Amino acid sequence: MQSALVLGAGVMGLSAAWALSRAGWAVRVVDQDPVPNPRGSSVDDHRLIRHAYGAALGYMRMIDPAYAAWELLFAEAGERPYVPTGVLALANAPGGWLAESQAALRGDGHAVQALAAAEVAARYPWLSPDGIASAFHLPTGGVLLARRIVELLARCLAARGVDIRRGQALSVDPGHGAVTLADGTRLQADLLVVAAGPWAPRLLPDLATRVRPTRQIIIRLAPPPAFEAGWQAAPMLLDLAEDGGFYAVPPVAGTPLKIGDHRFAPASDPDAPREASPAEAEAILHLARHRIRDLESYRVLSAAACYYDVEPGERFVVERLGERAFVMSGFSGHGFKFGALLGLALARAAGDATLAQGLPGWAAGATPPPPGLLADLEQGSLA
C-alpha cells in the first residue's frame, strides 16, 4: 500500500486525506495546532457556497460537482452540516460582477430573479434600498457549517484509522516526500501533500512568489429582536458597493450573524494575534451601515481576524511539486466550498500522471476537468 503524508489539517488537508484514504492510500496528517485548529482559515462558524461567480465560468461550473462531493462526504459521516439560504446580490452601479453573474447564470440555465430596490426593501425590511442600482435573488446556494465540517472530517479520518499528529513543520522536502518537524522528527511518505494554508509560503519559497498571507476581519452580531426571525430565514447577502462592499451570512443553525469584506489586506504574519482591533472592527461596520438599517441597534458579539492565502487572480494553486508531492494553496477566501471536491480530484491525480497534468488548469478555473478526474462523484445536489 502506498503511503501519503498530508501537512495541514484545515479543510483542504483533511479533505485530501479523506479522499486519499478512500483511494487506498495509507495516510498520516500533521498539523501544528489541535484539530479543529482555532487559527486555521477553515475554522469558523460558516462558509458560503453559491453558483454566482461573476464572469468566472470555471468556478461557477465547479459548484455542482462540489455539492456532489459534499454529499459523498456527508453520506459517509451520517451528518449534513449545510443550510440552504439562497443568494441576494446588490450593487450600487450597473454592470460589473453582478451583471456578469446574471449573464453567466442565465446562460447555464440557473433561475435568477432581478429585483428592483423597492422589492428588496419590501422582502427584507432590515435592509435599506438606498443606492441600489441592480439586484438579483438566486434560490440556490447556502451555508456550509465550517467548524462542524472540519470536525466531521477528523472523525471520518479517525474511523478510517488515519492518524492526525501534532507537530510544527520547519521545512519540507518535496523531492523526497518529507517534512522535518520542530522536534527534529523527519516524516516521509511516498506522497506529500502540502496544504498549510497561510503558512505554506514560508515552507515553499517558490510558492511565496505567487501566494501571500493576508489578514481579514469578521464581525459577529446579534440582530435586534424585531429583525431576528427575518435574518434567520434570510439569504446570504453580497453587497457590491464600489467604495467597499461587504457580505453577510445569516444566523443559521444557532450561529451568529456575520459580516466581513472581500478586500485583501497587505501581506501579513499568520502567527499574529487573532483579536481584531477596534479600528479594524469599525472599518467593517462602516461598510455595512449604508445597507443594514439601524446597525447601531445590533449587538457586537465579537470581532476576529482570520488569514487567507491569496493568489493575485484568486485562482487556486493545486499542482505537483515534482514526482512525490502536491501543493494546495491560493484559496483566496473562496476555496472552502470546493474542499471535498478538490480532495477527491487530488486523490485521482495522485495515481494518474495524465490527470495530474490537467489538475492545475481545472483547479484554477481555466479549463474543464480532464476525463476521469471527478470519477468518484455520483449525480446529486444539496440544493
Side-chain angles (χ1 to χ4, degrees):
M1 179 182 292
Q2 289 186 298
S3 62
L5 173 62
V6 178
L7 177 60
V11 71
M12 295 301 168
L14 294 179
S15 292
W18 166 71
L20 287 163
S21 176
R22 289 183 77 254
W25 295 71
V27 184
R28 288 184 293 173
V29 180
V30 63
D31 195 282
Q32 64 186 338
D33 287 309
V35 180
N37 178 358
R39 297 194 297 159
S41 302
S42 306
V43 181
D44 189 20
D45 294 309
H46 12 58
R47 291 291 184 263
L48 299 174
I49 181 167
R50 50 179 167 75
H51 289 90
Y53 244 101
L57 299 182
Y59 288 127
M60 180 188 72
R61 291 170 180 158
M62 285 170 65
I63 294 295
D64 284 340
Y67 270 128
W70 289 121
E71 194 76 82
L72 190 66
L73 172 62
F74 296 165
E76 178 176 326
E79 182 181 351
R80 199 165 182 259
Y82 168 81
V83 181
T85 64
V87 179
L88 174 64
L90 315 173
N92 66 355
W97 185 94
L98 190 144
E100 291 169 348
S101 291
Q102 286 192 92
L105 290 163
R106 287 174 175 153
D108 262 28
H110 295 276
V112 184
Q113 181 184 10
L115 298 174
E119 292 177 288
V120 172
R123 289 190 186 192
Y124 314 106
W126 53 91
L127 300 179
S128 168
D130 293 350
I132 295 177
S134 56
F136 71 73
H137 179 262
L138 181 67
T140 59
V143 175
L144 294 161
L145 299 171
R147 185 178 288 103
R148 285 174 53 186
I149 287 172
V150 171
E151 291 170 347
L152 77 80
L153 274 163
R155 290 197 303 271
C156 285
L157 291 175
R160 289 178 166 275
V162 174
D163 177 53
I164 301 179
R165 171 177 179 164
R166 188 168 178 181
Q168 182 182 8
L170 288 187
S171 64
V172 297
D173 180 356
H176 293 89
V179 174
T180 300
L181 304 182
D183 65 3
T185 302
R186 181 177 169 87
L187 304 176
Q188 190 169 8
D190 297 314
L191 177 71
L192 170 66
V193 178
V194 180
W199 291 274
R202 290 184 183 175
L203 298 167
L204 298 169
D206 289 343
L207 182 67
T209 66
R210 304 166 62 188
V211 174
R212 74 180 197 275
T214 71
R215 179 178 173 91
Q216 310 296 137
I217 305 301
I218 58 169
I219 309 293
R220 302 181 182 98
L221 301 167
F227 295 144
E228 186 173 354
W231 270 114
Q232 288 174 353
M236 69 178 81
L237 172 64
L238 310 175
D239 186 283
L240 309 174
E242 287 186 323
D243 56 351
F246 73 101
Y247 64 86
V249 184
V252 297
T255 65
L257 170 65
K258 183 175 79 178
I259 62 174
D261 72 340
H262 197 61
R263 299 172 302 174
F264 297 133
S268 304
D269 179 1
D271 288 322
R274 289 310 198 260
E275 296 79 11
S277 70
E280 288 176 319
E282 172 53 33
I284 301 299
L285 292 169
H286 175 73
L287 295 175
R289 284 197 178 94
H290 77 287
R291 185 63 61 221
I292 300 177
R293 293 182 187 270
D294 302 320
L295 187 58
E296 285 70 21
S297 66
Y298 288 61
R299 183 161 53 95
V300 176
L301 301 174
S302 63
C306 68
Y307 284 77
Y308 293 171
D309 43 322
V310 172
E311 192 274 338
E314 301 181 39
R315 295 183 178 273
F316 307 154
V317 178
V318 184
E319 60 194 39
R320 274 202 176 278
L321 299 171
E323 293 301 313
R324 294 185 61 175
F326 281 87
V327 61
M328 305 179 78
S329 186
F331 296 110
S332 307
H334 70 109
F336 190 105
K337 64 177 72 70
F338 300 112
L341 177 65
L342 291 171
L344 291 169
L346 183 142
R348 280 279 170 181
D352 187 314
T354 300
L355 295 182
Q357 289 179 346
L359 176 64
W362 170 76
T367 61
L373 186 68
L374 307 183
D376 298 79
L377 301 179
E378 299 174 353
Q379 295 298 316
S381 173
L382 293 171

PDB file of all heavy atoms in Angstrom, residues 98-135:
ATOM      1  N   LEU A  98     -22.068  41.797 -10.634  1.00  0.00           N
ATOM      2  CA  LEU A  98     -23.466  41.379 -10.567  1.00  0.00           C
ATOM      3  C   LEU A  98     -24.007  41.090 -11.960  1.00  0.00           C
ATOM      4  O   LEU A  98     -24.626  40.042 -12.196  1.00  0.00           O
ATOM      5  CB  LEU A  98     -24.304  42.438  -9.857  1.00  0.00           C
ATOM      6  CG  LEU A  98     -25.744  42.034  -9.497  1.00  0.00           C
ATOM      7  CD1 LEU A  98     -26.167  42.651  -8.175  1.00  0.00           C
ATOM      8  CD2 LEU A  98     -26.717  42.442 -10.593  1.00  0.00           C
ATOM      9  N   ALA A  99     -23.785  41.990 -12.909  1.00  0.00           N
ATOM     10  CA  ALA A  99     -24.267  41.771 -14.272  1.00  0.00           C
ATOM     11  C   ALA A  99     -23.584  40.567 -14.907  1.00  0.00           C
ATOM     12  O   ALA A  99     -24.228  39.776 -15.628  1.00  0.00           O
ATOM     13  CB  ALA A  99     -24.032  43.020 -15.119  1.00  0.00           C
ATOM     14  N   GLU A 100     -22.298  40.399 -14.660  1.00  0.00           N
ATOM     15  CA  GLU A 100     -21.583  39.239 -15.202  1.00  0.00           C
ATOM     16  C   GLU A 100     -22.143  37.944 -14.620  1.00  0.00           C
ATOM     17  O   GLU A 100     -22.282  36.944 -15.336  1.00  0.00           O
ATOM     18  CB  GLU A 100     -20.092  39.365 -14.889  1.00  0.00           C
ATOM     19  CG  GLU A 100     -19.404  40.487 -15.656  1.00  0.00           C
ATOM     20  CD  GLU A 100     -18.005  40.770 -15.140  1.00  0.00           C
ATOM     21  OE1 GLU A 100     -17.640  40.263 -14.052  1.00  0.00           O
ATOM     22  OE2 GLU A 100     -17.270  41.499 -15.819  1.00  0.00           O
ATOM     23  N   SER A 101     -22.462  37.964 -13.322  1.00  0.00           N
ATOM     24  CA  SER A 101     -23.041  36.778 -12.695  1.00  0.00           C
ATOM     25  C   SER A 101     -24.389  36.440 -13.309  1.00  0.00           C
ATOM     26  O   SER A 101     -24.670  35.274 -13.635  1.00  0.00           O
ATOM     27  CB  SER A 101     -23.197  36.986 -11.186  1.00  0.00           C
ATOM     28  OG  SER A 101     -21.955  37.027 -10.541  1.00  0.00           O
ATOM     29  N   GLN A 102     -25.247  37.448 -13.451  1.00  0.00           N
ATOM     30  CA  GLN A 102     -26.568  37.192 -14.033  1.00  0.00           C
ATOM     31  C   GLN A 102     -26.451  36.589 -15.428  1.00  0.00           C
ATOM     32  O   GLN A 102     -27.143  35.617 -15.764  1.00  0.00           O
ATOM     33  CB  GLN A 102     -27.377  38.491 -14.088  1.00  0.00           C
ATOM     34  CG  GLN A 102     -27.902  38.968 -12.760  1.00  0.00           C
ATOM     35  CD  GLN A 102     -28.922  40.078 -12.939  1.00  0.00           C
ATOM     36  OE1 GLN A 102     -30.120  39.838 -13.023  1.00  0.00           O
ATOM     37  NE2 GLN A 102     -28.443  41.312 -12.970  1.00  0.00           N
ATOM     38  N   ALA A 103     -25.588  37.148 -16.246  1.00  0.00           N
ATOM     39  CA  ALA A 103     -25.433  36.644 -17.608  1.00  0.00           C
ATOM     40  C   ALA A 103     -24.912  35.211 -17.605  1.00  0.00           C
ATOM     41  O   ALA A 103     -25.409  34.346 -18.350  1.00  0.00           O
ATOM     42  CB  ALA A 103     -24.496  37.552 -18.397  1.00  0.00           C
ATOM     43  N   ALA A 104     -23.923  34.938 -16.775  1.00  0.00           N
ATOM     44  CA  ALA A 104     -23.350  33.592 -16.728  1.00  0.00           C
ATOM     45  C   ALA A 104     -24.366  32.585 -16.199  1.00  0.00           C
ATOM     46  O   ALA A 104     -24.507  31.477 -16.735  1.00  0.00           O
ATOM     47  CB  ALA A 104     -22.100  33.593 -15.852  1.00  0.00           C
ATOM     48  N   LEU A 105     -25.082  32.953 -15.143  1.00  0.00           N
ATOM     49  CA  LEU A 105     -26.052  32.045 -14.549  1.00  0.00           C
ATOM     50  C   LEU A 105     -27.179  31.721 -15.526  1.00  0.00           C
ATOM     51  O   LEU A 105     -27.564  30.564 -15.700  1.00  0.00           O
ATOM     52  CB  LEU A 105     -26.617  32.657 -13.265  1.00  0.00           C
ATOM     53  CG  LEU A 105     -25.638  32.739 -12.091  1.00  0.00           C
ATOM     54  CD1 LEU A 105     -26.151  33.714 -11.035  1.00  0.00           C
ATOM     55  CD2 LEU A 105     -25.415  31.364 -11.480  1.00  0.00           C
ATOM     56  N   ARG A 106     -27.710  32.742 -16.174  1.00  0.00           N
ATOM     57  CA  ARG A 106     -28.794  32.510 -17.127  1.00  0.00           C
ATOM     58  C   ARG A 106     -28.299  31.696 -18.320  1.00  0.00           C
ATOM     59  O   ARG A 106     -29.026  30.848 -18.844  1.00  0.00           O
ATOM     60  CB  ARG A 106     -29.383  33.843 -17.572  1.00  0.00           C
ATOM     61  CG  ARG A 106     -30.230  34.492 -16.481  1.00  0.00           C
ATOM     62  CD  ARG A 106     -30.699  35.869 -16.833  1.00  0.00           C
ATOM     63  NE  ARG A 106     -31.598  36.391 -15.805  1.00  0.00           N
ATOM     64  CZ  ARG A 106     -31.781  37.671 -15.538  1.00  0.00           C
ATOM     65  NH1 ARG A 106     -31.126  38.585 -16.240  1.00  0.00           N
ATOM     66  NH2 ARG A 106     -32.609  38.044 -14.584  1.00  0.00           N
ATOM     67  N   GLY A 107     -27.056  31.944 -18.721  1.00  0.00           N
ATOM     68  CA  GLY A 107     -26.504  31.178 -19.829  1.00  0.00           C
ATOM     69  C   GLY A 107     -26.387  29.701 -19.521  1.00  0.00           C
ATOM     70  O   GLY A 107     -26.425  28.870 -20.430  1.00  0.00           O
ATOM     71  N   ASP A 108     -26.241  29.372 -18.227  1.00  0.00           N
ATOM     72  CA  ASP A 108     -26.153  27.957 -17.830  1.00  0.00           C
ATOM     73  C   ASP A 108     -27.470  27.419 -17.281  1.00  0.00           C
ATOM     74  O   ASP A 108     -27.507  26.325 -16.709  1.00  0.00           O
ATOM     75  CB  ASP A 108     -25.054  27.794 -16.769  1.00  0.00           C
ATOM     76  CG  ASP A 108     -23.743  27.323 -17.390  1.00  0.00           C
ATOM     77  OD1 ASP A 108     -23.522  27.622 -18.580  1.00  0.00           O
ATOM     78  OD2 ASP A 108     -22.955  26.653 -16.696  1.00  0.00           O
ATOM     79  N   GLY A 109     -28.543  28.192 -17.434  1.00  0.00           N
ATOM     80  CA  GLY A 109     -29.866  27.694 -17.077  1.00  0.00           C
ATOM     81  C   GLY A 109     -30.268  27.832 -15.628  1.00  0.00           C
ATOM     82  O   GLY A 109     -31.216  27.178 -15.183  1.00  0.00           O
ATOM     83  N   HIS A 110     -29.590  28.695 -14.865  1.00  0.00           N
ATOM     84  CA  HIS A 110     -29.970  28.908 -13.467  1.00  0.00           C
ATOM     85  C   HIS A 110     -31.078  29.949 -13.370  1.00  0.00           C
ATOM     86  O   HIS A 110     -31.090  30.932 -14.125  1.00  0.00           O
ATOM     87  CB  HIS A 110     -28.760  29.369 -12.646  1.00  0.00           C
ATOM     88  CG  HIS A 110     -27.686  28.336 -12.536  1.00  0.00           C
ATOM     89  ND1 HIS A 110     -27.717  27.332 -11.597  1.00  0.00           N
ATOM     90  CD2 HIS A 110     -26.553  28.147 -13.264  1.00  0.00           C
ATOM     91  CE1 HIS A 110     -26.646  26.574 -11.736  1.00  0.00           C
ATOM     92  NE2 HIS A 110     -25.919  27.044 -12.749  1.00  0.00           N
ATOM     93  N   ALA A 111     -31.975  29.748 -12.430  1.00  0.00           N
ATOM     94  CA  ALA A 111     -33.098  30.672 -12.232  1.00  0.00           C
ATOM     95  C   ALA A 111     -32.624  31.875 -11.422  1.00  0.00           C
ATOM     96  O   ALA A 111     -32.319  31.755 -10.231  1.00  0.00           O
ATOM     97  CB  ALA A 111     -34.237  29.965 -11.509  1.00  0.00           C
ATOM     98  N   VAL A 112     -32.556  33.024 -12.064  1.00  0.00           N
ATOM     99  CA  VAL A 112     -32.129  34.264 -11.408  1.00  0.00           C
ATOM    100  C   VAL A 112     -33.268  35.266 -11.512  1.00  0.00           C
ATOM    101  O   VAL A 112     -33.786  35.504 -12.615  1.00  0.00           O
ATOM    102  CB  VAL A 112     -30.870  34.853 -12.078  1.00  0.00           C
ATOM    103  CG1 VAL A 112     -30.388  36.087 -11.322  1.00  0.00           C
ATOM    104  CG2 VAL A 112     -29.773  33.816 -12.151  1.00  0.00           C
ATOM    105  N   GLN A 113     -33.645  35.854 -10.404  1.00  0.00           N
ATOM    106  CA  GLN A 113     -34.723  36.841 -10.412  1.00  0.00           C
ATOM    107  C   GLN A 113     -34.153  38.227 -10.158  1.00  0.00           C
ATOM    108  O   GLN A 113     -33.600  38.487  -9.088  1.00  0.00           O
ATOM    109  CB  GLN A 113     -35.766  36.521  -9.344  1.00  0.00           C
ATOM    110  CG  GLN A 113     -36.936  37.500  -9.325  1.00  0.00           C
ATOM    111  CD  GLN A 113     -37.913  37.229  -8.202  1.00  0.00           C
ATOM    112  OE1 GLN A 113     -37.646  36.423  -7.308  1.00  0.00           O
ATOM    113  NE2 GLN A 113     -39.051  37.898  -8.234  1.00  0.00           N
ATOM    114  N   ALA A 114     -34.276  39.112 -11.138  1.00  0.00           N
ATOM    115  CA  ALA A 114     -33.858  40.503 -10.943  1.00  0.00           C
ATOM    116  C   ALA A 114     -34.858  41.190 -10.010  1.00  0.00           C
ATOM    117  O   ALA A 114     -36.070  40.953 -10.082  1.00  0.00           O
ATOM    118  CB  ALA A 114     -33.790  41.226 -12.271  1.00  0.00           C
ATOM    119  N   LEU A 115     -34.347  42.049  -9.130  1.00  0.00           N
ATOM    120  CA  LEU A 115     -35.175  42.762  -8.173  1.00  0.00           C
ATOM    121  C   LEU A 115     -34.917  44.254  -8.274  1.00  0.00           C
ATOM    122  O   LEU A 115     -33.763  44.686  -8.430  1.00  0.00           O
ATOM    123  CB  LEU A 115     -34.871  42.314  -6.738  1.00  0.00           C
ATOM    124  CG  LEU A 115     -35.118  40.841  -6.380  1.00  0.00           C
ATOM    125  CD1 LEU A 115     -34.622  40.576  -4.961  1.00  0.00           C
ATOM    126  CD2 LEU A 115     -36.579  40.489  -6.522  1.00  0.00           C
ATOM    127  N   ALA A 116     -35.966  45.042  -8.156  1.00  0.00           N
ATOM    128  CA  ALA A 116     -35.823  46.490  -8.018  1.00  0.00           C
ATOM    129  C   ALA A 116     -35.525  46.818  -6.557  1.00  0.00           C
ATOM    130  O   ALA A 116     -35.779  46.006  -5.654  1.00  0.00           O
ATOM    131  CB  ALA A 116     -37.105  47.192  -8.465  1.00  0.00           C
ATOM    132  N   ALA A 117     -35.011  48.019  -6.335  1.00  0.00           N
ATOM    133  CA  ALA A 117     -34.665  48.419  -4.973  1.00  0.00           C
ATOM    134  C   ALA A 117     -35.862  48.330  -4.038  1.00  0.00           C
ATOM    135  O   ALA A 117     -35.749  47.882  -2.889  1.00  0.00           O
ATOM    136  CB  ALA A 117     -34.090  49.831  -4.984  1.00  0.00           C
ATOM    137  N   ALA A 118     -37.029  48.755  -4.522  1.00  0.00           N
ATOM    138  CA  ALA A 118     -38.226  48.722  -3.679  1.00  0.00           C
ATOM    139  C   ALA A 118     -38.607  47.287  -3.317  1.00  0.00           C
ATOM    140  O   ALA A 118     -39.095  47.027  -2.201  1.00  0.00           O
ATOM    141  CB  ALA A 118     -39.389  49.408  -4.392  1.00  0.00           C
ATOM    142  N   GLU A 119     -38.383  46.341  -4.232  1.00  0.00           N
ATOM    143  CA  GLU A 119     -38.682  44.942  -3.934  1.00  0.00           C
ATOM    144  C   GLU A 119     -37.732  44.402  -2.865  1.00  0.00           C
ATOM    145  O   GLU A 119     -38.137  43.612  -2.001  1.00  0.00           O
ATOM    146  CB  GLU A 119     -38.566  44.110  -5.205  1.00  0.00           C
ATOM    147  CG  GLU A 119     -39.634  44.389  -6.251  1.00  0.00           C
ATOM    148  CD  GLU A 119     -39.398  43.584  -7.516  1.00  0.00           C
ATOM    149  OE1 GLU A 119     -38.438  43.913  -8.250  1.00  0.00           O
ATOM    150  OE2 GLU A 119     -40.168  42.637  -7.768  1.00  0.00           O
ATOM    151  N   VAL A 120     -36.480  44.821  -2.920  1.00  0.00           N
ATOM    152  CA  VAL A 120     -35.528  44.401  -1.887  1.00  0.00           C
ATOM    153  C   VAL A 120     -36.009  44.875  -0.519  1.00  0.00           C
ATOM    154  O   VAL A 120     -36.041  44.106   0.455  1.00  0.00           O
ATOM    155  CB  VAL A 120     -34.119  44.945  -2.192  1.00  0.00           C
ATOM    156  CG1 VAL A 120     -33.179  44.674  -1.025  1.00  0.00           C
ATOM    157  CG2 VAL A 120     -33.569  44.328  -3.480  1.00  0.00           C
ATOM    158  N   ALA A 121     -36.401  46.135  -0.430  1.00  0.00           N
ATOM    159  CA  ALA A 121     -36.852  46.681   0.852  1.00  0.00           C
ATOM    160  C   ALA A 121     -38.126  46.003   1.337  1.00  0.00           C
ATOM    161  O   ALA A 121     -38.309  45.789   2.546  1.00  0.00           O
ATOM    162  CB  ALA A 121     -37.069  48.179   0.723  1.00  0.00           C
ATOM    163  N   ALA A 122     -39.023  45.654   0.412  1.00  0.00           N
ATOM    164  CA  ALA A 122     -40.271  45.007   0.808  1.00  0.00           C
ATOM    165  C   ALA A 122     -40.023  43.591   1.329  1.00  0.00           C
ATOM    166  O   ALA A 122     -40.649  43.160   2.307  1.00  0.00           O
ATOM    167  CB  ALA A 122     -41.232  44.975  -0.378  1.00  0.00           C
ATOM    168  N   ARG A 123     -39.107  42.861   0.685  1.00  0.00           N
ATOM    169  CA  ARG A 123     -38.826  41.483   1.108  1.00  0.00           C
ATOM    170  C   ARG A 123     -37.979  41.443   2.379  1.00  0.00           C
ATOM    171  O   ARG A 123     -38.142  40.550   3.216  1.00  0.00           O
ATOM    172  CB  ARG A 123     -38.080  40.736   0.000  1.00  0.00           C
ATOM    173  CG  ARG A 123     -38.889  40.391  -1.220  1.00  0.00           C
ATOM    174  CD  ARG A 123     -38.074  39.441  -2.089  1.00  0.00           C
ATOM    175  NE  ARG A 123     -38.708  39.147  -3.355  1.00  0.00           N
ATOM    176  CZ  ARG A 123     -38.304  38.174  -4.165  1.00  0.00           C
ATOM    177  NH1 ARG A 123     -37.269  37.425  -3.846  1.00  0.00           N
ATOM    178  NH2 ARG A 123     -38.929  37.959  -5.313  1.00  0.00           N
ATOM    179  N   TYR A 124     -37.058  42.395   2.481  1.00  0.00           N
ATOM    180  CA  TYR A 124     -36.064  42.364   3.554  1.00  0.00           C
ATOM    181  C   TYR A 124     -36.052  43.724   4.245  1.00  0.00           C
ATOM    182  O   TYR A 124     -35.175  44.560   3.982  1.00  0.00           O
ATOM    183  CB  TYR A 124     -34.682  42.022   2.989  1.00  0.00           C
ATOM    184  CG  TYR A 124     -34.710  40.855   2.021  1.00  0.00           C
ATOM    185  CD1 TYR A 124     -34.582  41.051   0.643  1.00  0.00           C
ATOM    186  CD2 TYR A 124     -34.903  39.560   2.488  1.00  0.00           C
ATOM    187  CE1 TYR A 124     -34.631  39.987  -0.242  1.00  0.00           C
ATOM    188  CE2 TYR A 124     -34.956  38.485   1.599  1.00  0.00           C
ATOM    189  CZ  TYR A 124     -34.821  38.700   0.240  1.00  0.00           C
ATOM    190  OH  TYR A 124     -34.877  37.638  -0.637  1.00  0.00           O
ATOM    191  N   PRO A 125     -37.017  43.972   5.125  1.00  0.00           N
ATOM    192  CA  PRO A 125     -37.182  45.317   5.687  1.00  0.00           C
ATOM    193  C   PRO A 125     -36.031  45.776   6.573  1.00  0.00           C
ATOM    194  O   PRO A 125     -35.968  46.963   6.910  1.00  0.00           O
ATOM    195  CB  PRO A 125     -38.493  45.205   6.475  1.00  0.00           C
ATOM    196  CG  PRO A 125     -38.687  43.747   6.718  1.00  0.00           C
ATOM    197  CD  PRO A 125     -38.083  43.051   5.547  1.00  0.00           C
ATOM    198  N   TRP A 126     -35.134  44.892   6.939  1.00  0.00           N
ATOM    199  CA  TRP A 126     -33.962  45.312   7.716  1.00  0.00           C
ATOM    200  C   TRP A 126     -32.854  45.883   6.817  1.00  0.00           C
ATOM    201  O   TRP A 126     -31.834  46.335   7.310  1.00  0.00           O
ATOM    202  CB  TRP A 126     -33.417  44.135   8.512  1.00  0.00           C
ATOM    203  CG  TRP A 126     -33.139  42.914   7.695  1.00  0.00           C
ATOM    204  CD1 TRP A 126     -31.966  42.584   7.082  1.00  0.00           C
ATOM    205  CD2 TRP A 126     -34.066  41.864   7.386  1.00  0.00           C
ATOM    206  NE1 TRP A 126     -32.101  41.401   6.394  1.00  0.00           N
ATOM    207  CE2 TRP A 126     -33.366  40.923   6.571  1.00  0.00           C
ATOM    208  CE3 TRP A 126     -35.391  41.613   7.710  1.00  0.00           C
ATOM    209  CZ2 TRP A 126     -33.977  39.770   6.088  1.00  0.00           C
ATOM    210  CZ3 TRP A 126     -35.993  40.461   7.232  1.00  0.00           C
ATOM    211  CH2 TRP A 126     -35.293  39.559   6.436  1.00  0.00           C
ATOM    212  N   LEU A 127     -33.080  45.867   5.510  1.00  0.00           N
ATOM    213  CA  LEU A 127     -32.116  46.426   4.573  1.00  0.00           C
ATOM    214  C   LEU A 127     -32.635  47.736   4.001  1.00  0.00           C
ATOM    215  O   LEU A 127     -33.821  47.879   3.718  1.00  0.00           O
ATOM    216  CB  LEU A 127     -31.846  45.454   3.420  1.00  0.00           C
ATOM    217  CG  LEU A 127     -31.285  44.082   3.794  1.00  0.00           C
ATOM    218  CD1 LEU A 127     -31.099  43.231   2.546  1.00  0.00           C
ATOM    219  CD2 LEU A 127     -29.971  44.205   4.554  1.00  0.00           C
ATOM    220  N   SER A 128     -31.731  48.689   3.794  1.00  0.00           N
ATOM    221  CA  SER A 128     -32.080  49.956   3.158  1.00  0.00           C
ATOM    222  C   SER A 128     -31.951  49.819   1.649  1.00  0.00           C
ATOM    223  O   SER A 128     -30.961  49.267   1.151  1.00  0.00           O
ATOM    224  CB  SER A 128     -31.155  51.066   3.646  1.00  0.00           C
ATOM    225  OG  SER A 128     -31.304  52.225   2.837  1.00  0.00           O
ATOM    226  N   PRO A 129     -32.932  50.338   0.881  1.00  0.00           N
ATOM    227  CA  PRO A 129     -32.829  50.273  -0.576  1.00  0.00           C
ATOM    228  C   PRO A 129     -31.990  51.389  -1.180  1.00  0.00           C
ATOM    229  O   PRO A 129     -31.780  51.412  -2.394  1.00  0.00           O
ATOM    230  CB  PRO A 129     -34.290  50.404  -1.015  1.00  0.00           C
ATOM    231  CG  PRO A 129     -34.891  51.296   0.024  1.00  0.00           C
ATOM    232  CD  PRO A 129     -34.209  50.933   1.317  1.00  0.00           C
ATOM    233  N   ASP A 130     -31.508  52.307  -0.354  1.00  0.00           N
ATOM    234  CA  ASP A 130     -30.818  53.492  -0.868  1.00  0.00           C
ATOM    235  C   ASP A 130     -29.609  53.095  -1.716  1.00  0.00           C
ATOM    236  O   ASP A 130     -28.756  52.304  -1.296  1.00  0.00           O
ATOM    237  CB  ASP A 130     -30.346  54.383   0.284  1.00  0.00           C
ATOM    238  CG  ASP A 130     -31.510  54.995   1.050  1.00  0.00           C
ATOM    239  OD1 ASP A 130     -32.661  54.886   0.564  1.00  0.00           O
ATOM    240  OD2 ASP A 130     -31.266  55.553   2.132  1.00  0.00           O
ATOM    241  N   GLY A 131     -29.556  53.635  -2.907  1.00  0.00           N
ATOM    242  CA  GLY A 131     -28.391  53.444  -3.760  1.00  0.00           C
ATOM    243  C   GLY A 131     -28.338  52.139  -4.515  1.00  0.00           C
ATOM    244  O   GLY A 131     -27.362  51.883  -5.232  1.00  0.00           O
ATOM    245  N   ILE A 132     -29.354  51.298  -4.402  1.00  0.00           N
ATOM    246  CA  ILE A 132     -29.320  50.030  -5.132  1.00  0.00           C
ATOM    247  C   ILE A 132     -29.611  50.292  -6.611  1.00  0.00           C
ATOM    248  O   ILE A 132     -30.691  50.754  -6.973  1.00  0.00           O
ATOM    249  CB  ILE A 132     -30.347  49.023  -4.569  1.00  0.00           C
ATOM    250  CG1 ILE A 132     -29.978  48.630  -3.135  1.00  0.00           C
ATOM    251  CG2 ILE A 132     -30.406  47.775  -5.458  1.00  0.00           C
ATOM    252  CD1 ILE A 132     -30.976  47.692  -2.476  1.00  0.00           C
ATOM    253  N   ALA A 133     -28.638  50.005  -7.454  1.00  0.00           N
ATOM    254  CA  ALA A 133     -28.818  50.181  -8.895  1.00  0.00           C
ATOM    255  C   ALA A 133     -29.299  48.894  -9.556  1.00  0.00           C
ATOM    256  O   ALA A 133     -29.986  48.943 -10.578  1.00  0.00           O
ATOM    257  CB  ALA A 133     -27.511  50.639  -9.530  1.00  0.00           C
ATOM    258  N   SER A 134     -28.923  47.755  -9.007  1.00  0.00           N
ATOM    259  CA  SER A 134     -29.355  46.465  -9.535  1.00  0.00           C
ATOM    260  C   SER A 134     -29.269  45.437  -8.420  1.00  0.00           C
ATOM    261  O   SER A 134     -28.501  45.589  -7.460  1.00  0.00           O
ATOM    262  CB  SER A 134     -28.504  46.031 -10.745  1.00  0.00           C
ATOM    263  OG  SER A 134     -27.128  46.012 -10.410  1.00  0.00           O
ATOM    264  N   ALA A 135     -30.076  44.392  -8.554  1.00  0.00           N
ATOM    265  CA  ALA A 135     -30.116  43.344  -7.539  1.00  0.00           C
ATOM    266  C   ALA A 135     -30.670  42.080  -8.168  1.00  0.00           C
ATOM    267  O   ALA A 135     -31.416  42.126  -9.152  1.00  0.00           O
ATOM    268  CB  ALA A 135     -30.982  43.770  -6.354  1.00  0.00           C
TER     269      ALA A 135
END
